[in-house]
Amino acid sequence: QVQLVESGGGLVQAGGSLRLSCAASGRTFRSYAMGWFRQAPGKEREFVATVNWNGGSTYYADSVKGRFTISSNDAKNAVYLQMNNLKPEDTAVYYCVGDPGIGGYANPATFGSWGQGTQVTVSS
């Protein structure tokens, strides 16, 4: 299994920026793709973005396109999420995911490893 540890969450005003980081350890060779999901209070987990290690293909939820950027550092087994122009509706716990199986990249059930989550709060 892959162990994932997130960092970088916090409180920011609307229009501000935050950068989330996720460090992977363990059987990282299984994580040919990593990404981020989020969950707001009372809502289901929601896809945010994913990146493939080889070739660096990226995928984004429509709600974050043009504002968020996912990137990876293969040598460090790390993935990042740069979040700009944050909105109050981005408030959620953000989870790093890895160790994908068979399934769509936007389906939380596809990913076998999850971090503990980091809180992002955007005030209006």
Side-chain angles (χ1 to χ4, degrees):
Q1 195 172 6
V2 178
Q3 290 77 47
L4 304 171
V5 178
E6 305 101 332
S7 60
L11 173 64
V12 65
Q13 288 188 333
S17 298
L18 282 174
R19 185 176 188 247
L20 305 182
S21 299
C22 175
S25 61
R27 304 180 71 179
T28 57
F29 64 90
R30 295 174 54 163
S31 261
Y32 60 85
M34 292 180 66
W36 296 89
F37 282 71
R38 67 186 182 186
Q39 187 169 22
K43 295 187 177 181
E44 294 186 352
R45 287 189 178 182
E46 175 188 29
F47 165 71
V48 177
T50 59
V51 59
N52 292 340
W53 290 120
N54 296 324
S57 298
T58 57
Y59 306 91
Y60 295 94
D62 288 342
S63 59
V64 306
K65 279 181 182 176
R67 300 188 298 122
F68 291 11
T69 302
I70 190 170
S71 61
S72 64
N73 184 323
D74 297 5
K76 294 184 177 181
N77 292 321
V79 64
Y80 310 97
L81 187 68
Q82 178 66 43
M83 305 184 293
N84 297 329
N85 190 21
L86 283 160
K87 305 175 180 181
E89 50 264 43
D90 294 317
T91 295
V93 176
Y94 283 70
Y95 296 91
C96 178
V97 298
D99 191 11
I102 298 174
Y105 58 81
N107 183 354
T110 297
F111 295 91
S113 295
W114 290 70
Q116 81 285 356
T118 185
Q119 178 70 47
V120 171
T121 303
V122 185
S123 62
S124 58

